[in-house]
Amino acid sequence: MDSSLRQRKTNISLLSEEPNNERDQNLNDNNKNLNHTTTTTKATTSKSNLTFKLFFFFLFFLTIFLLAIYLFQQRSYFSFSFSSFLNNNEKNNQQIYTEEKEEDTKETYIPISSSIIENNNEKNNEINNLLLKEMKEWKDDEKRRNAIRNAFLHAWKGYEKVAFGHDEVRPVTNDSRDNFGGLGATIVDSMDTMLLMDLKDEYLKCREYIVNDLNFDKDQWVSVFETNIRYIGGLLSVYELTKDNLFLEKARDLANKLIPAFHNETGFPYTEVNLKTGNFRNAQWHKKATILSEVGSLQLEWKYLSKKLNNYKYFNLTDNIIKQLDEQEKKYIGLYSVFIASINGKLIGDHITLGALGDSFYEYLLKQWILFKDKRSFKMYREFMKGLKSYLIAKSKPNHLVYISEFINGHLSAKFDHLVCFAPGMLALGSTEWVNKGMNINQEELNEELQLAKDIALTCYETYKRQATGIGPEIVNFNNETNDFNNQHSIYILRPELIESLFILYRITGDLKYKEWGWNIFLNLEKHCKTSVAYAGLKNVNVANGEKDNAMESFFLSETLKYLYLLFTDNLLPLDKYVFTTEAHPLGIY
């Protein structure tokens, strides 16, 4: 009992023994004490209620703070239970209420509505369930990242064992092949993935190879395009992530070896060059023409190299290509033929596609704007959006799957390459507010393009789901009016394009289904493509347990597994800070 109440009772019991004047004075004093006591008790109750509210908000913000720590670290899982934490909070609230009830008198007791307690309990339960759900997601992501990391290690260890120093491992016959100049393509192409996965020992062994064994003074013919995206891009991304000048210098040395391929008059490079002699040529199947995707996929790497070296030789060589292509007349707005005459740089024919021979040219228009704020490239990308939506978007029958068609010999074709599945990621990235900031693009257009990205991603995933292996083929054709499409070329070569788009779409929309789609693809890769030493492509994706293709492209480690890993790593390499090259090598945005 409160000491003031005990004193009040004592004073009252002595009233009869005091003189009248003194008793009256005491009565007045007691009344003052009673009023003071009542006021004090009410204040105490008010403070208790305030304490309860402050305590609840303290717990709430403490929870947010702890979650922020988790998201920053991204590797650990809280060991204590949020459930018991919130339950203890509820017990404390009940205890405060009980103590107040015992202490208060009838005059000062202010009842707390049961509905308030119930509402607080409901809020606690709602927060608790939300936290538990999020914690489960993070735990699942951690398990999935570890599984993907283990897949990378399995593939790398196999390559290291039977093919180290060669371009690629052959995962069925357990030997090697050199199809990209014999410079160790898998090593250079996968080093940035090792850094992202924190594979330090593997990375250091590769760095030692770069120092001691990577030699560009070889009498060897190489593809300008492949050498750029796999080697120069790989070296520059490792430089970006480590700031180790070794890699910047190696990228410069290799770019210098490719420069002789650029034709002196037109500035358009031939497709092949000899690293030792500097001789150049086009491949046998297109002797008089160069390829749109090949000349249009040098810009990110070479312009980045120029900026880091403060030497604009590389920038000017590749920017000249974009300038000439922009100034040429096009039959369809924003759309370019895939063949360019080597002798004069003019577009040839009307084969227009976002698949093989055209794909990364369009991708690099958008990314040059993001990486360098190149306004010409942004203008060309917006023109391409108009042409794409006006001429190439089509729907299948009977399920209205949205796909991108192509022009061949002046006619629309329903042929659809696996390569086109990069497009949803490009469209989603190009629809974001931060990419278009200050460029006065109608929001309805951007919303339309984001929806188009989602629709085409669904189409690409359908080409996976409907196969016996759950893995998509190289080419389908949407000419089947009873089943949407047929397989036109059923091989699979460990391609990354759909996974790339799922990664970007998840980052932009937050829709968890893209994670689930990506995880399903990974499980099917594990089931159907894994060999004793690495991973192999498939000869026919519609035959379960069928024959494997005896090749593991270096982009499986550079792109496919990297994008899968990033799909389950929310805070690594944010899209507004890094641009990925067409070989998935991250470069920091200026």
Side-chain angles (χ1 to χ4, degrees), residues 174-389:
N174 297 351
D175 53 14
S176 63
R177 68 174 182 172
D178 289 315
N179 49 330
F180 298 112
L183 303 175
T186 294
I187 295 172
V188 181
D189 218 4
S190 61
M191 288 181 73
D192 56 1
T193 308
M194 294 175 186
L195 289 169
L196 298 177
M197 293 182 176
D198 198 26
L199 300 173
K200 296 178 182 177
D201 292 340
E202 289 76 10
Y203 165 77
L204 290 174
K205 180 170 183 177
C206 292
R207 188 186 186 282
E208 183 179 354
Y209 171 85
I210 301 295
V211 172
N212 297 323
D213 300 307
L214 185 58
N215 174 26
F216 303 134
D217 191 25
K218 299 178 67 173
D219 187 9
Q220 178 69 52
W221 286 91
V222 298
S223 161
V224 173
F225 169 72
E226 298 290 357
T227 303
N228 175 65
I229 66 172
R230 298 184 195 234
Y231 291 104
I232 294 179
L235 292 165
L236 291 176
S237 66
V238 176
Y239 169 76
E240 171 67 36
L241 297 174
T242 65
K243 298 303 183 281
D244 185 340
N245 282 327
L246 166 70
F247 299 97
L248 183 63
E249 292 165 2
K250 285 289 187 181
R252 175 202 61 201
D253 294 344
L254 184 52
N256 288 338
K257 290 288 187 178
L258 301 184
I259 284 178
F262 287 78
H263 191 274
N264 289 334
E265 294 181 11
T266 66
F268 281 80
Y270 282 75
T271 58
E272 297 179 2
V273 67
N274 186 292
L275 292 175
K276 190 174 185 67
T277 67
N279 293 333
F280 52 85
R281 69 189 184 193
N282 284 330
Q284 289 295 314
W285 63 276
H286 58 91
K287 283 187 176 182
K288 295 183 179 181
T290 190
I291 306 300
L292 179 67
S293 62
E294 297 194 2
V295 301
S297 302
L298 302 169
Q299 285 70 23
L300 291 188
E301 294 86 350
W302 286 51
K303 290 182 177 182
Y304 178 92
L305 179 63
S306 272
K307 287 185 175 291
K308 292 303 178 182
L309 293 173
N310 197 25
N311 180 344
Y312 277 73
K313 170 174 62 175
Y314 313 99
F315 185 104
N316 293 335
L317 281 170
T318 55
D319 194 56
N320 175 58
I321 296 169
I322 297 299
K323 180 176 180 293
Q324 288 194 58
L325 289 173
D326 178 40
E327 292 174 350
Q328 290 191 48
E329 185 176 344
K330 272 80 67 178
K331 184 175 182 180
Y332 306 100
I333 184 171
L335 303 178
Y336 297 76
S337 168
V338 298
F339 293 112
I340 303 165
S342 298
I343 194 169
N344 59 19
K346 299 298 182 182
L347 296 169
I348 303 172
D350 59 1
H351 183 186
I352 297 170
T353 179
L354 267 69
L357 311 180
D359 52 355
S360 49
F361 165 75
Y362 298 103
E363 174 191 0
Y364 271 32
L365 292 179
L366 174 64
K367 291 181 176 180
Q368 285 178 83
W369 161 248
I370 297 173
L371 192 56
F372 308 115
K373 293 303 176 187
D374 183 85
K375 291 185 178 180
R376 181 194 297 275
S377 295
F378 182 82
K379 175 188 75 72
M380 294 171 71
Y381 178 76
R382 292 311 310 172
E383 291 172 350
F384 159 59
M385 282 293 100
K386 292 179 181 178
L388 172 69
K389 291 186 285 186

Side-chain angles (χ1 to χ4, degrees), residues 451-470:
Q451 186 58 52
L452 187 59
K454 296 175 182 179
D455 292 342
I456 298 171
L458 174 62
T459 299
C460 290
Y461 189 60
E462 282 293 320
T463 68
Y464 275 64
K465 279 177 59 180
R466 299 189 190 185
Q467 312 300 327
T469 59

